[in-house]
Structures are given as structure tokens and as C-alpha cells.
Amino acid sequence: MTRIIDLRGDWAARPTDAMRKAMAEAEVGDDNSQEDPTVIELEERSAELMGKEAGLFVPSGTMGNLVSIMALAPYGSEIIAGDQAHAVIYEVGGYAAIGGHPIRTVPNDRFGMMDPASVRDAIRPSGNIHFPRTGLLLLENTHNLRGGGVMTVEQTRSLANVAHDAGVPVHVDGSRLFNAAAALGIPAKDLVADLDMASFCLSKALAAPVGSMVVGTTEQIARARQARKLLGGGMRQAGVIAAAGIVALEQMIDRIPEDHENARKLAYGLADIPGFTVDLETVQSNLVFADISEGKTGPEIGAALEQNGIRINVFGPTRIRFALHYEITSADVDRVIDEVRQLV
Ligand SMILES: Cc1ncc(COP(=O)(O)O)c(C=O)c1O
């Protein structure tokens, strides 16, 4: 069977052999009663890694964002988020449909950053009965739709300060927070030190089959745990999947720079192909977006590559995305560049 090169998402990364072994051997208990030793270990290690008091294991990044929103923002309060935020665009409007929050968006620049002055302007003044109260500032690092753009500690702090000055808590959707940390060469906890809560995915660049972590204070995590239950995310012998998460933390973080190197190689290779544009400055982590200005459309390129065992993410007629992860080698990248060049 031909090997598939799956670049649709870093979520396409399949669990490693070490993960499968750990899953088979995991000690388990009822997680709903907080009796699963493997889940407890994963939660404690995640909290420690992020410099926070407590952690919570949730089934997905989407649920991680929603339980954080529910833990931090009072019901009916307005959330400020980037107009290109994953939570705004791709999470079924859960913040409104379930959380009960209207949203106020601020533009994300081409790196995913929001302008602190615009965030300040978006925070509702108190004392006017017409306005909702601002309940939360939601950040995203790295920024998915902005090409995996990385927000630095200083940028994060400048946004957090604006929110905190107005008494507004801050959560970061850090689905790829370890990618941001690797790109900056700093510990991930530095990127959340100024923030109230954070979530990160085990199932993206870290290759675990299931799960995300939420971290915050003990009290915030207790509220998030109840929100998880409300959403139907209370689990039983979840140690079986948490075991893969522990391996992800132990073995998959330090190798992330390899993916970033492959992403840059792919980006430069694609940018060299006539009709392809890659905003090379925004290729800061493991995602590569390419814009197509002539020749075949995105869906045509996607379909043709699929025939040759290469899967990519088609974002529309003129935009395609490639995500690097541990299963994609430097030789694979050479092959992908070659195939795309031949196609167009
Ligand atoms: C930035 C970001 N946040 C949240 C999510 C949602 O994660 P999940 O698919 O695990 O719900 C994704 C998924 O790709 C993402 O890219």
C-alpha cells in the first residue's frame, strides 16, 4: 500500500508506538469522580508545565475553549476575540449557543496579533445600561488562520494588560502553544504567565489521538470541570487516552523545531512555483498557507495531489494549507514540492 502523506492538519498525526503501548498499560479509574490516576497525573503535569495551579483533561480543543469561556466570563457578558479566531469561526458558535455570550471582534493582523488600542476600544465602558459587560478577552497562539503566526511574551502581555486594567480576564487558545514556544525558544509557561487560563491540544502537533488540556487556578478549573460535565464531557476510564497525552508531553515537545524547519523548506519551495504566493514572513511555525493566482484552483490541486497519495487542506478556490507534523519527513517535503510543481 502506498504511504499517504497527510498534510491536511497536524491533527492527522497518528499516535506513536510509545503512545499505543502506554495506552494499553494505563492504570485507570473513574475520571468523573477524579479517581483516574493517569488522568490526574496528566492534569498535574500539564499545570506544572504551564506554571498554573490546576489542569483539566477535555476531549477536544473546542471543548477546552468553551469550558474556559464558561469558567471565566459571567453569563451574558461579551467576549472580545480576533475576527479570524478559531473559536469565532470554527467552533459552531458554542460561545453564544451554549455559553450565552455575544461576541465583539477585533481584526487579527497577518500574524494573528490584535492591536492593543483596538482591544481597549472594544472593551465596554461600565455605567451604560445599553451595553453588555465585557467578560473575557480571547487570544490564540499560534494563530491557525493567520498561517501559524506566533505571539511573543511582550505582545501577549500588552493585550493582557489592556484587559486586566479593565478587570477583564484573558484566556489563550493555545492549541499550538508548544509550537509558539518552540518558535520563540522559550518555555511554554512564559507565554501564559500573564494570562488567567490557557488551553493546549495534545492531539495536534503532539500527536496524541484525543484530548486537550485546560489550565488555570484551582477555582477556575473546578468551574471548568463542572462546565465540562454540563457539556457531556465527563469521562470514565479516560486514563487510556490520557496515557498517550503523558507520552506526548514527554516525547513530542522537544522535536517540534523539526516541523518548523520542514514548514520553512516547504514554504520556500512553494513560493518558487509560478502562480503560487506564500507570505514567507508569516511562516513562523508548522503551518504553511499558499495562495494561488493562476492555473489550477485549490480544489483541483487538492484532488490531483490526493490521487498521488498527498492530502492537503483546501481553504477555497485560491487558498490551500499544509500542516507539518512528526510523520512528515524532509524527503516528503521534497516530494510534495515536486508534485505541486509538476501539477501546475
Ligand atoms: C487554533 C485552534 N483552536 C481550536 C481548535 C479545535 O480543536 P479540536 O479540533 O480538538 O476541537 C483547533 C483545531 O484545529 C485550532 O486550530
Side-chain angles (χ1 to χ4, degrees):
M1 211 175 76
T2 327
R3 184 174 150 254
I4 305 289
I5 301 177
D6 198 339
L7 294 144
R8 288 172 301 161
D10 40 16
W11 41 258
R14 293 165 299 180
T16 64
D17 290 343
M19 288 176 187
R20 291 170 191 268
K21 183 166 186 298
M23 291 171 81
E25 293 170 0
E27 264 189 67
V28 296
D30 178 35
D31 176 43
N32 231 12
S33 316
Q34 291 181 248
E35 286 172 1
D36 187 303
T38 309
V39 173
I40 291 169
E41 185 186 341
L42 175 63
E43 291 178 340
E44 287 177 356
R45 286 172 77 158
S46 298
E48 199 188 327
L49 205 53
M50 291 292 152
K52 300 290 185 200
E53 279 174 16
L56 177 71
F57 184 41
V58 291
S60 67
T62 299
M63 193 184 286
N65 282 335
L66 188 50
V67 300
S68 303
I69 289 169
M70 291 168 80
L72 287 175
Y75 184 80
S77 63
E78 191 170 62
I79 297 169
I80 298 175
D83 63 347
Q84 300 300 311
H86 193 279
V88 174
I89 296 178
Y90 291 120
E91 297 180 13
V92 209
Y95 58 83
I98 299 170
H101 304 284
I103 200 124
R104 196 159 208 221
T105 57
V106 167
N108 284 117
D109 71 15
R110 58 192 248 273
F111 301 98
M113 178 65 185
M114 288 182 272
D115 171 28
S118 305
V119 171
R120 187 179 291 113
D121 288 346
I123 295 174
R124 303 284 192 169
S126 57
N128 184 328
I129 61 158
H130 298 87
F131 294 147
R133 168 178 169 192
T134 301
L136 181 70
L137 173 63
L138 179 67
L139 310 178
E140 184 175 318
N141 197 13
T142 65
H143 201 286
N144 181 343
L145 276 185
R146 290 301 195 224
V150 172
M151 209 159 44
T152 64
V153 171
E154 293 70 28
Q155 288 174 316
T156 305
R157 184 174 300 141
S158 67
L159 292 168
N161 285 347
V162 165
H164 288 154
D165 285 351
V168 173
V170 190
H171 166 71
V172 66
D173 170 356
S175 288
R176 298 180 182 82
L177 195 75
F178 291 106
N179 292 87
L184 295 165
I186 58 172
K189 71 167 139 194
D190 292 2
L191 288 167
V192 302
D194 293 300
L195 309 180
D196 299 272
M197 290 182 75
S199 52
F200 65 85
C201 285
L202 300 164
S203 61
K204 304 240 160 45
L206 302 187
V210 182
S212 283
M213 302 307 301
V214 177
V215 296
T217 65
T218 304
E219 202 212 325
Q220 288 160 352
I221 291 301
R223 288 204 297 272
R225 191 179 293 281
Q226 191 171 30
R228 183 186 73 168
K229 184 70 186 155
L230 182 151
L231 298 173
M235 296 178 277
R236 299 300 178 186
Q237 287 76 33
V240 171
I241 46 177
I246 292 172
V247 176
L249 297 185
E250 284 175 348
Q251 298 183 4
M252 303 305 281
I253 294 174
D254 289 348
R255 57 150 310 283
I256 284 177
E258 251 177 70
D259 297 340
H260 294 188
E261 220 170 280
N262 283 334
R264 273 192 298 275
K265 178 173 166 179
L266 179 61
Y268 278 93
L270 293 173
D272 218 28
I273 297 174
F276 271 65
T277 310
V278 180
D279 185 352
L280 292 168
E281 279 179 3
T282 65
V283 182
Q284 299 178 336
S285 58
N286 68 328
L287 305 180
V288 180
F289 281 84
D291 293 303
I292 310 152
S293 58
E294 60 186 72
K296 291 194 164 62
T297 65
E300 284 166 352
I301 291 170
L305 287 175
E306 180 106 26
Q307 298 273 316
N308 292 322
I310 297 168
R311 306 191 79 181
I312 63 165
N313 205 325
V314 176
F315 271 69
T318 60
R319 198 158 168 77
I320 53 180
R321 188 188 80 173
F322 304 76
L324 283 296
H325 53 82
Y326 89 98
E327 291 196 82
I328 310 294
T329 64
S330 179
D332 291 337
V333 170
D334 289 330
R335 203 188 129 207
V336 171
I337 296 167
D338 246 31
E339 295 277 357
V340 175
R341 194 189 299 278
Q342 279 176 40
L343 265 181
V344 299

